[in-house]
Amino acid sequence: MALACGAGRVEAADARYRFTIPPRSYADALIDLGLQANVSVLGTASCGTGGRAALTGRYTLEQALEQLLAGAPCRYRIVDARTVRISPAAPPPQALPQRDPSRPPSIVAEVVVTATKRPVALERLPAGVSAISRDQISATRANDVGQTVGQLAGVLTTNLGPGRDKLLIRGLSDGAFTGRTRSTVGTYLDDAPVNYNAPDPDLRLVDIDRVEVVRGPQGALYGSGAVAGVYRIVTTKPDLKDFEFGGSATIAHTEGGEESHELDGYLSIPLIKDHVGLRLVAYEEVQGGYLDDVNLRVPNVDQTRRDGGRVALRIRFNDSWRLDAHAATQHLRSDDTQYVTSAMSTPGAPTARRSEIRETHNNDFAYAGVTTHGEFDWGSITSSTNYVHHVFSSQFDATARLPELSPVPLGALGAYVETTRANILVQDLVVRSSGAGRFSWLAGVNAARTVERAPSRLDALTSVGSGVGVATAYTEDRKDRLSEYALYAEATYDLGGGWSATAGGRLFATNVHTTAAVVALLGPRAFDRKDSFDGFSPKLSVQREFDNGDLVYGLISEGYRPGGFNSSGFFPIRAERAVFAPDRLRNFEAGVKLRRMDGRLAVRAAAYYSDWSNVQTDQYRASGLPFTSNVGDARILGLEGELSYEWSWGLTVALNGLVSNSSVRNFNPDFANRVSNDLPGVPDTSGGILAVYERALDDRFSLRLVGEASYVGRSRISFDAASTARTDNYLRSKVAAELSTDHWRITAFVTNPFDYDADTFAYGNPFSFSGNNGVRQATPQRPRTVGLRLGSTF
């Protein structure tokens, strides 16, 4: 083992890298070095927040570190081929053991983010940006998107169930339902768009390098959608030097429910050392059910199975060019939804599941892509091509709506099934300057083609003579074709004295074509409409970076979504409801980012005002079928903040919070009789806390204790003021204790330790959500769950 570690250090020292690091503080320069050399640099806070260092040219890692840290109050140690540790310059009174017992927890990420399409240290970006590092994901057992939101300011998710949820950022909500509108949050797996108008596929976060979130509209860089921000999952790339593998196994028990288990693993193989590497990831998970259906007399009906994997191939042709080929797939199956019901006249909260059929849900995601990256003296070029195949389907109990469809009884049981098959092809080409000098820029071209098929049908179980038959009451076969083309650019100029300004924008054109064949009780009908939309989405920011690393900034940005068409309906749709118009959101933001106390205290805060015109929203008719409409205009005022502090004795605490206030005006009179005065689906207040304590017990063992809690305030579900559906205030929490060595770790954890059962989402089935036969729907938190996890890395 000692020989292997020594060899790794020699290889790291011999490899030469191209560095372009403009004048930065010691800590920020080290972060840039880590990104450009593809190594982890730990403990940069040991250099403090001052100093000034720069580097340009080809150097070995050791030569680069020597030059950057010349005269710095810190020193470096190359641990292995992928890791550099920074420590104070003054040596400790005794020799350091092989295992550094003073290593602080790494939840305050020293992260370079690339969600802005160029690598920039998180603390230097003039925008509301957050990141969750690989170590933080592991420490908090954040297995999917829903388990990360409490660690990010202003990021929330609905709670309809696995593979059915919708991400919301900054209180910029177009409603809690998912339908035809483009998602307000652009979700990406590396460079591949995960969703268009679909619910989040609930990808399991296995072998993930980091999660990046950019809050606020990102129309200039990401185009349509992303009016509330971008949520980006960055996978770990193959190691071209060393063989790596790891995995974990988890078992858990939910009170009053079934057992759950998880298995995952990864393997990285350097096929040709320093040139070709392969990385494989696989996982399988079963979430045990915990709700009983009283009508069906089935216990634990809501079990979910999730399995999938990824493969990544990296080829480094030389010091300047590399290619990444990647593919991923995931299959998610839920046996039933996780809401409970009671009649509207029944007092108190719903306590049981009552359905006539199982309301199953499937969400399958697959993608393949190729990214080519080249480095030049003047800058770099990146070409990314991705193909996404997303299929999701849901079945609902529609029995309550059958009497309204026909004067002739259709039957005593109705089932509505909707399926969406989306194929997305995206090409993005971006050229960037090196970042050296006072002027830097990027420019890109983007093209995307989306083809979506969405068949749906409602069947009724009927009596035919002495037997039983199935009558089809409604079918629709819808097809949407969407083409998007864009040119975008962004430029930054250093004004001197720490001031800089950035201007950019996106010139776009979108073509939409929708066809549908509908067969209803009144006979068949056809739908065929097309339209095109174009425009320009600007961005402007001004920032000042102080010598101590503090940053203040002002930002104006925009987001937009194209219009579209409604075709669904048991009866012919009115002309004024057949079309919904584009919407646009303009954001005005001011923020500050501070580091104090030798970098141990980090503060990020922003105040924003958003002007959202012609807000698109997905809603349901009284029949239970969806439609999209423009509800009116909205104004949103908010304040968000993130604060973290690291104590030298091993404790780190991170806090986040959001306070927002919204108002809706200029109502669309065709939308509803009365429109609520605020945006639905988001509370006025939300926040979270994460605490991690870590210490070395001896030269072999370390102990880590983790506590996490997040609060979500009360909110309404619909824009319709006549609807009384509201979520409760609720608190989500979990605790964990981990004992680890260099290669093994065992973790005991408890989620929802206080066994709260507040209503987290007052919705579950559109066919019984409203109308004369409406029922009260609620989604309680998963009951107290206790588990044990065994993991290893080599």
Side-chain angles (χ1 to χ4, degrees):
M1 290 178 62
L3 288 173
C5 292
R9 284 190 288 270
V10 170
E11 291 159 4
D14 290 343
R16 300 183 71 85
Y17 306 92
R18 181 193 298 275
F19 293 101
T20 304
I21 302 175
R24 305 289 190 205
S25 67
Y26 291 128
D28 288 342
L30 286 168
I31 292 174
D32 283 358
L33 177 142
L35 177 78
Q36 296 176 26
N38 194 27
V39 298
S40 297
V41 183
L42 306 177
T44 60
S46 300
C47 295
T49 58
R52 214 68 178 164
L55 187 67
T56 302
R58 293 185 181 274
Y59 299 93
T60 66
L61 180 59
E62 188 168 4
Q63 289 171 342
L65 288 165
E66 287 286 352
Q67 289 211 29
L68 281 180
L69 299 183
C74 51
R75 57 196 176 102
Y76 72 89
R77 180 166 63 93
I78 299 177
V79 179
D80 54 42
R82 295 187 62 189
T83 309
V84 175
R85 177 166 296 283
I86 307 299
S87 57
Q94 67 273 355
L96 286 171
Q98 282 188 332
R99 183 179 180 85
D100 186 352
S102 63
R103 180 172 64 92
S106 304
I107 71 166
V108 179
E110 298 163 346
V111 173
V112 171
V113 297
T114 53
T116 54
K117 299 205 173 186
R118 53 181 168 185
V120 183
L122 182 150
E123 304 294 344
R124 295 206 303 269
L125 273 173
V129 184
S130 299
I132 303 178
S133 65
R134 180 187 182 95
D135 190 67
Q136 184 172 337
I137 292 172
S138 175
T140 59
R141 292 192 65 255
N143 293 332
D144 51 41
V145 172
Q147 296 183 53
T148 65
V149 296
Q151 303 173 36
L152 299 161
V155 183
L156 299 173
T157 181
T158 59
N159 195 24
L160 183 58
R164 296 184 173 188
D165 294 328
K166 181 177 183 177
L167 268 176
L168 304 169
I169 292 181
R170 268 192 178 174
L172 303 175
S173 168
D174 61 353
F177 311 127
T178 299
R180 302 294 180 194
T181 61
R182 184 76 182 253
S183 301
T184 60
V185 177
T187 307
Y188 287 79
L189 181 63
D190 290 323
D191 298 313
V194 167
N195 59 348
Y196 177 73
N197 61 350
D200 184 82
D202 219 1
L203 298 177
R204 185 170 168 83
L205 302 182
V206 177
D207 196 34
I208 298 301
D209 184 71
R210 64 188 181 276
V211 170
E212 304 175 350
V213 173
V214 185
R215 294 180 289 273
Q218 301 299 313
L221 291 180
Y222 284 91
S224 63
V227 297
V230 169
Y231 186 103
R232 185 165 179 257
I233 303 168
V234 182
T235 61
T236 305
K237 304 305 184 290
D239 191 318
L240 302 184
K241 295 182 178 295
D242 297 315
F243 178 89
E244 292 183 356
F245 68 93
S248 69
T250 304
I251 56 172
H253 174 73
T254 299
E255 291 189 11
E258 292 181 321
E259 313 256 316
S260 303
H261 72 262
E262 305 166 7
L263 295 170
D264 60 65
Y266 66 88
L267 173 65
S268 185
I269 309 169
L271 300 178
I272 302 177
K273 199 172 185 65
D274 294 328
H275 291 286
V276 181
L278 180 69
R279 198 172 191 98
L280 305 172
V281 177
Y283 54 87
E284 188 265 346
E285 174 188 7
V286 173
Q287 294 182 21
Y290 57 92
L291 296 175
D292 301 337
D293 195 299
V294 175
N295 286 354
L296 298 178
R297 298 182 180 179
V298 178
N300 306 319
V301 295
D302 53 321
Q303 185 185 84
T304 297
R305 300 172 183 85
R306 178 169 54 173
D307 59 78
R310 298 195 311 272
V311 58
L313 177 71
R314 167 162 286 190
I315 302 174
R316 188 169 71 187
F317 300 100
N318 50 44
D319 289 344
S320 299
W321 286 95
R322 71 170 184 265
L323 179 144
D324 287 294
H326 31 257
T329 184
Q330 178 176 282
H331 308 281
L332 187 149
R333 303 284 186 273
S334 291
D335 293 343
D336 216 321
T337 48
Q338 59 186 31
Y339 69 95
V340 293
T341 59
S342 68
M344 286 293 192
S345 58
T346 303
T351 57
R353 184 100 168 83
R354 294 178 176 86
S355 295
E356 300 296 333
I357 64 172
R358 300 288 286 270
E359 296 185 339
T360 59
H361 177 77
N362 301 328
N363 195 322
D364 295 339
F365 174 85
Y367 96 107
V370 175
T371 299
T372 305
H373 180 79
E375 293 280 351
F376 306 93
D377 291 336
W378 53 265
S380 65
I381 183 170
T382 302
S383 172
S384 177
T385 305
N386 290 280
Y387 174 76
V388 175
H389 179 64
H390 195 183
V391 180
F392 53 97
S393 63
S394 297
Q395 176 173 280
F396 294 104
D397 180 359
T399 305
R401 289 291 171 261
L402 293 182
E404 302 175 16
L405 300 181
S406 172
V408 179
L410 289 175
L413 190 65
Y416 178 79
V417 179
E418 58 183 8
T419 302
T420 300
R421 301 181 181 92
N423 297 301
I424 307 172
L425 179 64
V426 181
Q427 169 64 47
D428 190 68
L429 177 68
V430 58
V431 182
R432 310 172 193 83
S433 67
S434 65
R438 301 184 67 174
F439 182 72
S440 62
W441 53 267
L442 69 81
V445 58
N446 181 276
R449 172 70 171 173
T450 301
V451 178
E452 182 179 280
R453 297 293 298 266
S456 59
R457 62 187 294 137
L458 190 151
D459 292 328
L461 189 66
T462 62
S463 297
V464 181
S466 59
V468 177
V470 176
T472 299
Y474 175 83
T475 64
E476 179 184 8
D477 188 4
R478 174 174 169 136
K479 184 176 183 179
D480 291 278
R481 284 147 289 191
L482 183 113
S483 301
E484 299 175 281
Y485 309 95
L487 297 172
Y488 61 91
E490 189 173 284
T492 300
Y493 186 73
D494 186 347
L495 302 171
W499 288 94
S500 60
T502 300
R506 187 183 193 92
L507 186 66
F508 64 88
T510 303
N511 300 315
V512 180
H513 185 194
T514 298
T515 58
V518 178
V519 178
L521 293 174
L522 296 182
R525 65 179 187 268
F527 186 94
D528 190 338
R529 298 285 296 269
K530 63 176 64 175
D531 206 344
S532 60
F533 310 91
D534 54 54
F536 179 73
S537 182
K539 176 183 176 182
L540 177 66
S541 68
V542 178
Q543 69 185 78
R544 185 183 181 187
E545 185 176 353
F546 296 89
D547 291 340
N548 63 359
D550 291 350
L551 178 78
V552 294
Y553 70 89
L555 170 67
I556 302 173
S557 58
E558 279 195 6
Y560 64 92
R561 295 185 293 183
F565 308 101
N566 292 310
S567 60
S568 306
F570 293 134
F571 306 101
I573 192 168
R574 302 200 313 265
E576 58 269 24
R577 281 201 171 183
V579 177
F580 58 92
D583 63 352
R584 182 176 292 269
L585 186 146
R586 178 170 294 173
N587 176 68
F588 303 86
E589 179 178 340
V592 60
K593 300 182 180 184
L594 309 174
R595 282 274 185 177
R596 291 289 185 275
M597 302 178 182
D598 295 328
R600 294 187 178 276
L601 174 67
V603 179
R604 295 189 291 269
Y608 61 90
Y609 171 76
S610 297
D611 184 357
W612 198 351
S613 60
N614 231 13
V615 179
Q616 296 176 8
T617 179
D618 292 314
Q619 298 293 313
Y620 290 102
R621 299 182 179 90
S623 63
L625 293 183
F627 76 102
T628 303
S629 180
N630 299 97
V631 66
D633 301 333
R635 305 291 183 267
I636 305 96
L637 183 65
L639 177 65
E640 66 186 21
E642 295 179 321
L643 181 149
S644 62
Y645 187 80
E646 292 186 9
W647 281 268
S648 58
W649 43 274
L651 175 66
T652 300
V653 175
L655 300 159
N656 71 77
L658 171 72
V659 178
S660 67
N661 178 265
S662 62
S663 62
V664 181
R665 59 186 186 180
N666 300 330
F667 308 124
N668 177 3
D670 186 59
F671 174 75
N673 293 331
R674 289 193 303 125
V675 177
S676 62
N677 293 323
D678 53 0
L679 296 177
V682 289
D684 293 336
T685 306
S686 63
I689 181 171
L690 173 64
V692 177
Y693 172 71
E694 184 170 346
R695 62 168 295 179
L697 301 178
D698 55 30
D699 289 350
R700 286 192 61 196
F701 293 98
S702 288
L703 173 69
R704 180 156 59 184
L705 304 176
V706 180
E708 180 182 356
S710 60
Y711 167 79
V712 179
R714 197 179 187 196
S715 64
R716 65 170 53 249
I717 294 298
S718 171
F719 274 106
D720 187 352
S723 173
T724 59
R726 286 179 176 270
T727 65
D728 291 336
N729 302 301
Y730 64 92
L731 183 72
R732 299 192 306 177
S733 58
K734 56 185 175 182
V735 293
E738 177 183 284
L739 185 66
S740 64
T741 66
D742 285 337
H743 299 295
W744 293 93
R745 62 189 182 278
I746 184 168
T747 308
F749 61 88
V750 182
T751 60
N752 194 10
F754 304 106
D755 207 22
Y756 291 127
D757 62 352
D759 180 10
T760 62
F761 195 46
Y763 165 74
N765 182 334
F767 294 94
S768 56
F769 178 64
S770 61
N772 296 331
N773 296 319
V775 298
R776 181 181 288 106
Q777 302 178 8
T779 304
Q781 293 188 64
R782 188 179 189 91
R784 182 187 296 114
T785 300
V786 180
L788 195 66
R789 181 188 187 197
L790 178 65
S792 64
T793 55
F794 291 90

